[in-house]
Amino acid sequence: MMRDVDYIISGGYVLTMVEGASAIRNGAVAVSDGKIIDVGGEKEIAQRYNPKAAAGGRNKAVLPGLINAHTHAAMVYFRGIADDLPLKEWLEQHIWPAEGKWLSDEFVGDATELACCEMLQGGVTTFNDMYFFGDSSAHASKRMGMRAVLGAGVLDFPSVAARNADEYIKKAEVFIRNWLGDELITPSIAPHAPYTCSPETYMKAKRAAERYGVPLHTHLSETQYEVSEAMRKYGKPPVKLLDEIGFLDTNVVAAHCVWVDEEEIGIMAKRGTGVAHCIESNLKLASGIAPVVSMLRHGVNVALGTDGAASNNDLDIFSEMAFSARVHKSMSGDPTAINAFTALSMATSSGARVLGMHDKIGTLEIGKAADIVVVDLNKPHLSPFYDIYSLIVYSMRSTDVESVMVNGRLVVDRGKFLPKDEQEIMDKARWWKDRIADIEQTGKS
Amino acid sequence: MMRDVDYIISGGYVLTMVEGASAIRNGAVAVSDGKIIDVGGEKEIAQRYNPKAAAGGRNKAVLPGLINAHTHAAMVYFRGIADDLPLKEWLEQHIWPAEGKWLSDEFVGDATELACCEMLQGGVTTFNDMYFFGDSSAHASKRMGMRAVLGAGVLDFPSVAARNADEYIKKAEVFIRNWLGDELITPSIAPHAPYTCSPETYMKAKRAAERYGVPLHTHLSETQYEVSEAMRKYGKPPVKLLDEIGFLDTNVVAAHCVWVDEEEIGIMAKRGTGVAHCIESNLKLASGIAPVVSMLRHGVNVALGTDGAASNNDLDIFSEMAFSARVHKSMSGDPTAINAFTALSMATSSGARVLGMHDKIGTLEIGKAADIVVVDLNKPHLSPFYDIYSLIVYSMRSTDVESVMVNGRLVVDRGKFLPKDEQEIMDKARWWKDRIADIEQTGKS
């Protein structure tokens, strides 16, 4: 007898992204109550289940929702506010003043809606965030139907969010209690970086995270400046510093890790600390290029992150795959480095492992959450093709995403964003921008 | 009195790409008989001209058609046929055998249609090609309404196209005579590379080009192997070799130029030889990264090229801009290197200079050919923005191209490809691919 299910999502190729498994030709995924209940050949699935609705079709590929493992979603309102500048000038003269002036619950809520809209349309179903006003981010993410790990930022100095480390952590704990157990939102604590948080602050954050069983998220060894500061202050580089105080662990997501040596990579592998690799942001700010090939060789889990749209300038994981797969070939002098399957794994299964969510997302497997992306293969720039993984990583663009499901809910349907009127979201962005951009110049909008 | 014109193309931003000129807010371009006859404020243009048709509109930007300064268009049928492999294996075990087996007038004609479709939809209006069966490329390019400089390939060894250098050159001359004076097609001669053509062959090609007043196109210093071969055989690196025999000149387009030192860059600047920078292909084949920042400092004209889709794996100049602007910041350690305006210049005005066509294309100026692109700014991933150049280079994708005009003819109208049924072009690609891919594997289409 046929079982009723919510959806059957089919495609000429179903990429489960399970290690060692081949793509399923003419496959399908059955979804019910937010979960994947079966994956297999299209015909078998059609014989077993009676769906209320269908997605996908011929000339499509079905893949796990992509994971953006490091971002500051609400910074999308500062997209391109100050480009082609050195990091210090960019941060101190543009970003921090703009944040100090504009950040609020309202700003973060509105901006997060836009970020979710951009990410979902580009096939990203989960993002790992670090910012402030977490309740607003959480409400906005839920309204947009997106899965998020939201890290409450912690600093040693005052900002619009709090006055000192203890207050940031206290606020983080309130935020955690508000969202613990939510289906889509995972609260976390995010001590900003070794140059803005003392070792004591890091350990306070860690103990708070342990009390609630939530993950941690930090910037780590992003710039040479950060490393030389750590050497000057502590006599050791950031990774060693955080390891020696006992901070590094499997529940830590470390963003960037550009300036880490072989010994530090070994430490991260031993501790099970995952890396969120942000190649586009690192390139654009001329911060350097993380030794990802060596990380993978050491067995470190590596995910892909966009960083904030102010330094990227988008929230596009397809282009992070395209950059990662190409740039590391050149860096290592080895054209076989980071092949297409590995690049797509970093954006899916490895991304889930880095976030500690591999039991729930990252692959198309029975029992996992139905976070599923359908891409359209019937495009001139995708014709012809010989290998589906290569096509996705080297030729596909985020705009080839056709439909997106998060936790069993269809949020993008053949290009249409369903949770909210897209024009309203864009108009709101323009309204904020007109307030932010006080100096109008020819050539600037 | 109002003058009748064919088109008025308007946009919230008109980027003329004339050096030193600002973007025109709420501007328009008037087009008649294939040429730009006026550029200015939307209101003034509307008062002066009575158009038969209009394109563009609010929330759009208007820019010169992009230039792909180095490609092998017909290789689009080998898109991703063999990825993540070393160059030698890729070339000798996959690409050359496939070319030997499949190249023909029919193949090149069909494949060039697909390449033109992909490029035009992505805002590329001119491409500089190097391949064989040039008459088929030329006919296909014209059918698709695209502007092309088509280089007849010259080698010292036999291929499906000819038996020896003299025959390649003889065939090139026939091809040149067929197309000289064509409005859209510029024939050229393309001695392949210093490791496949002797100095004598280079100079024979040069003399033939001079007889007809056509440009030359070659690969130059793409890999370390090429440089060490030249050192071994000639005792000097490729750029010096070609300079000393008298080949380098303003009418030569040199693709790649990855392994050139400061002295060689100085030589290229002195000779006025332009470079087609192919960053995505160079990264993917781990060939190295061309010293573009130094080239620009020396005054060398640098354009952007995709190379063939077999090594890229697309024909997307937006992503070449995105890669170039980001990667060279990292390489030079200078986040101000290759700013957004410079990146867009490489794809437009500098591209035209490199091809020796700056009097005809590359900027939106009165008297130039009407090669014009309209991009849509009303997208979530483009909202909000503070600088239009930054938006185009760091956030825009080729799929944001809405309408494209070449030589006054609209070839893409709000996303619709007008010259030929797009599905027919894709079906033909699939038909060829099914013949080419003799071994079917799970996970391979």
Side-chain angles (χ1 to χ4, degrees):
Chain A
M1 213 192 83
M2 281 172 81
R3 176 174 163 191
D4 288 337
V5 294
D6 294 335
Y7 281 95
I8 289 181
I9 301 173
S10 60
Y13 300 81
V14 173
L15 312 186
T16 66
M17 295 314 291
V18 172
E19 198 68 42
S22 296
I24 304 167
R25 284 300 313 262
N26 301 317
V29 182
V31 171
S32 229
D33 297 321
K35 293 215 177 333
I36 294 170
I37 62 156
D38 209 346
V39 185
E42 193 179 21
K43 279 185 192 165
E44 308 157 64
I45 296 288
Q47 280 160 5
R48 286 186 208 145
Y49 305 98
N50 183 34
K52 287 180 205 145
R58 294 181 65 82
N59 277 322
K60 318 285 176 192
V62 179
L63 45 148
L66 305 181
I67 294 167
N68 184 352
H70 176 65
T71 190
H72 314 284
M75 290 183 80
V76 72
Y77 272 3
F78 301 133
R79 186 199 306 278
I81 197 173
D83 285 322
D84 303 319
L85 293 174
L87 175 63
K88 208 173 139 67
E89 185 183 341
W90 175 78
L91 205 58
E92 294 177 3
Q93 290 179 33
H94 297 272
I95 299 302
W96 285 349
E99 288 187 337
K101 183 156 184 195
W102 295 107
L103 288 206
S104 66
D105 272 311
E106 192 193 356
F107 177 100
V108 168
D110 289 346
T112 302
E113 285 194 354
L114 174 65
C116 289
C117 176
E118 177 181 349
M119 285 193 274
L120 288 167
Q121 287 187 324
V124 177
T125 53
T126 298
F127 68 105
N128 184 39
D129 205 64
M130 178 196 291
Y131 218 54
F132 305 106
F133 303 95
D135 288 319
S136 294
S137 300
H139 285 297
S141 304
K142 272 183 86 79
R143 280 196 303 274
M144 299 305 104
M146 193 161 186
R147 194 180 301 285
V149 183
L150 300 174
V154 176
L155 296 163
D156 275 342
F157 54 83
S159 75
V160 284
R163 281 162 302 182
N164 55 49
D166 287 336
E167 197 187 347
Y168 284 107
I169 290 173
K170 213 176 123 189
K171 285 190 165 187
E173 293 193 61
V174 173
F175 169 66
I176 290 168
R177 287 193 294 267
N178 288 344
W179 295 96
L180 213 54
D182 189 89
E183 186 62 29
L184 287 175
I185 305 299
T186 304
S188 87
I189 304 190
H192 175 265
Y195 59 97
T196 53
C197 293
S198 69
E200 295 69 41
T201 299
Y202 264 100
M203 290 314 290
K204 280 182 190 171
K206 186 178 172 70
R207 282 189 293 268
E210 283 171 350
R211 269 198 294 283
Y212 297 98
V214 299
L216 290 147
H217 181 188
T218 190
H219 295 112
L220 192 54
S221 289
E222 179 177 1
T223 61
Q224 265 182 309
Y225 163 82
E226 176 182 339
V227 176
S228 62
E229 275 297 286
M231 293 303 294
R232 193 178 60 78
K233 274 169 83 174
Y234 306 108
K236 55 196 80 160
V239 172
K240 280 186 115 170
L241 173 70
L242 292 195
D243 185 49
E244 288 180 16
I245 63 171
F247 181 77
L248 294 187
D249 207 338
T250 52
N251 70 338
V252 175
V253 179
H256 303 300
C257 298
V258 172
W259 297 95
V260 291
D261 62 22
E262 290 288 297
E263 189 192 347
E264 290 175 287
I265 294 171
I267 291 171
M268 301 193 70
K270 200 167 111 192
R271 299 300 176 207
T273 300
V275 170
H277 176 44
C278 303
I279 185 132
E280 288 187 56
S281 171
N282 297 154
L283 290 170
K284 183 156 175 285
L285 293 171
S287 304
I289 295 169
V292 168
V293 171
S294 172
M295 290 176 187
L296 295 177
R297 202 169 44 229
H298 277 81
V300 175
N301 284 323
V302 180
L304 300 179
T306 57
D307 207 349
S311 63
N312 185 306
N313 296 348
D314 57 42
L315 302 172
D316 184 340
I317 291 294
F318 278 92
S319 70
E320 297 295 330
M321 288 195 281
F323 269 84
S324 297
R326 286 187 182 88
V327 169
H328 291 293
K329 288 175 171 55
S330 185
M331 287 306 102
S332 60
D334 176 6
T336 70
I338 317 243
N339 65 27
F341 187 86
T342 301
L344 187 56
S345 296
M346 293 198 293
T348 55
S349 55
S350 294
R353 266 193 294 273
V354 167
L355 302 191
M357 296 172 79
H358 196 56
D359 57 333
K360 195 168 188 176
I361 58 172
T363 57
L364 300 180
E365 288 181 278
I366 295 173
K368 285 205 177 179
D371 290 9
I372 301 172
V373 168
V374 177
V375 290
D376 185 8
L377 307 177
N378 191 44
K379 302 274 184 87
H381 68 274
L382 303 177
S383 302
F385 70 96
Y386 296 82
D387 181 275
I388 185 69
Y389 299 104
S390 163
L391 188 78
I392 289 171
V393 170
Y394 297 117
S395 305
M396 194 167 277
R397 299 159 195 151
S398 55
T399 37
D400 298 319
V401 168
E402 189 184 86
S403 297
V404 179
M405 173 175 280
V406 182
N407 215 40
R409 174 186 170 194
L410 204 63
V411 287
V412 179
D413 184 14
R414 282 155 294 174
K416 188 172 165 50
F417 186 65
L418 301 177
K420 186 168 179 173
D421 179 55
E422 192 182 298
Q423 193 59 53
E424 200 180 310
I425 292 172
M426 291 190 285
D427 290 346
K428 184 62 76 88
R430 178 179 277 262
W431 180 84
W432 276 102
K433 190 225 81 175
D434 286 343
R435 295 171 70 192
I436 294 166
D438 32 27
I439 299 159
E440 281 284 334
Q441 285 182 262
T442 313
K444 310 227 166 193
S445 96
Chain B
M1 212 190 86
M2 280 172 82
R3 176 175 162 189
D4 287 338
V5 293
D6 294 335
Y7 281 95
I8 289 181
I9 302 173
S10 60
Y13 299 81
V14 173
L15 312 186
T16 65
M17 296 314 292
V18 172
E19 198 68 40
S22 296
I24 304 168
R25 283 300 312 263
N26 301 316
V29 182
V31 171
S32 228
D33 297 320
K35 294 216 177 331
I36 294 169
I37 60 156
D38 209 346
V39 185
E42 193 179 19
K43 280 186 193 166
E44 308 157 64
I45 297 289
Q47 281 161 3
R48 287 185 208 146
Y49 305 98
N50 183 33
K52 287 181 204 142
R58 294 180 65 83
N59 276 324
K60 317 285 176 194
V62 179
L63 45 150
L66 304 181
I67 294 168
N68 184 351
H70 176 66
T71 190
H72 314 283
M75 290 184 80
V76 72
Y77 273 2
F78 302 133
R79 186 198 306 278
I81 197 172
D83 285 323
D84 302 319
L85 292 174
L87 176 62
K88 207 174 140 69
E89 186 183 339
W90 175 79
L91 205 57
E92 293 177 4
Q93 291 179 34
H94 297 273
I95 299 302
W96 285 347
E99 288 186 338
K101 184 155 183 198
W102 295 106
L103 288 205
S104 66
D105 273 311
E106 193 193 355
F107 177 100
V108 168
D110 289 346
T112 302
E113 285 194 354
L114 174 64
C116 289
C117 177
E118 177 181 349
M119 286 193 275
L120 288 167
Q121 286 187 324
V124 177
T125 53
T126 298
F127 68 105
N128 184 40
D129 205 64
M130 178 195 293
Y131 217 54
F132 306 106
F133 302 95
D135 289 320
S136 294
S137 300
H139 284 297
S141 304
K142 272 182 85 81
R143 280 197 302 275
M144 300 304 104
M146 194 161 184
R147 193 181 301 284
V149 183
L150 300 174
V154 176
L155 296 163
D156 275 342
F157 54 84
S159 75
V160 284
R163 282 162 301 183
N164 55 47
D166 287 337
E167 198 186 347
Y168 285 106
I169 290 172
K170 214 176 122 190
K171 285 190 164 187
E173 293 192 62
V174 173
F175 168 67
I176 290 167
R177 287 192 295 268
N178 287 345
W179 295 95
L180 214 52
D182 189 89
E183 185 62 29
L184 286 175
I185 305 298
T186 303
S188 85
I189 305 190
H192 176 264
Y195 59 97
T196 53
C197 293
S198 68
E200 295 70 40
T201 299
Y202 264 101
M203 290 314 289
K204 280 182 190 172
K206 187 179 173 70
R207 282 189 292 269
E210 283 171 349
R211 270 199 294 284
Y212 298 97
V214 299
L216 291 147
H217 182 187
T218 190
H219 295 113
L220 191 54
S221 290
E222 179 176 2
T223 62
Q224 265 183 308
Y225 163 82
E226 176 182 338
V227 175
S228 63
E229 275 299 284
M231 293 304 294
R232 193 178 60 75
K233 274 168 83 173
Y234 306 108
K236 54 195 80 157
V239 172
K240 279 185 115 171
L241 173 71
L242 293 195
D243 185 49
E244 287 179 15
I245 63 173
F247 180 78
L248 293 187
D249 208 337
T250 53
N251 70 336
V252 175
V253 180
H256 304 300
C257 299
V258 172
W259 297 95
V260 291
D261 61 22
E262 290 288 298
E263 189 192 348
E264 289 173 287
I265 294 171
I267 291 170
M268 301 194 69
K270 201 167 112 194
R271 299 302 175 208
T273 299
V275 171
H277 177 44
C278 303
I279 184 130
E280 288 187 56
S281 171
N282 296 154
L283 290 171
K284 183 155 174 286
L285 293 171
S287 304
I289 295 170
V292 169
V293 171
S294 171
M295 291 175 186
L296 295 177
R297 202 169 42 229
H298 278 81
V300 175
N301 284 323
V302 180
L304 300 179
T306 57
D307 208 348
S311 62
N312 185 305
N313 295 346
D314 57 42
L315 302 171
D316 184 341
I317 290 295
F318 279 92
S319 69
E320 298 295 330
M321 288 195 282
F323 270 84
S324 297
R326 286 186 182 88
V327 170
H328 291 294
K329 287 175 172 56
S330 185
M331 287 306 104
S332 60
D334 176 6
T336 69
I338 317 242
N339 65 27
F341 186 87
T342 301
L344 186 57
S345 296
M346 292 198 294
T348 54
S349 55
S350 294
R353 266 191 294 271
V354 167
L355 301 192
M357 296 173 80
H358 195 56
D359 57 335
K360 195 169 188 177
I361 58 172
T363 56
L364 300 180
E365 288 180 277
I366 293 172
K368 285 206 177 178
D371 290 9
I372 302 172
V373 168
V374 177
V375 290
D376 185 7
L377 307 177
N378 192 42
K379 304 273 184 85
H381 68 274
L382 302 177
S383 303
F385 70 97
Y386 296 83
D387 180 275
I388 185 68
Y389 299 104
S390 163
L391 187 79
I392 289 171
V393 170
Y394 296 118
S395 305
M396 195 167 276
R397 299 158 195 152
S398 55
T399 37
D400 298 320
V401 167
E402 189 184 86
S403 298
V404 179
M405 173 175 280
V406 182
N407 215 40
R409 174 185 169 195
L410 204 63
V411 286
V412 179
D413 184 14
R414 281 155 296 173
K416 188 172 166 49
F417 187 65
L418 301 176
K420 187 169 177 171
D421 179 54
E422 191 181 297
Q423 193 60 54
E424 200 181 308
I425 293 172
M426 291 190 284
D427 290 345
K428 184 62 76 85
R430 178 179 278 261
W431 179 84
W432 276 101
K433 190 225 81 174
D434 287 342
R435 295 171 70 193
I436 296 166
D438 32 27
I439 299 160
E440 281 282 337
Q441 282 182 264
T442 312
K444 310 227 166 196
S445 99

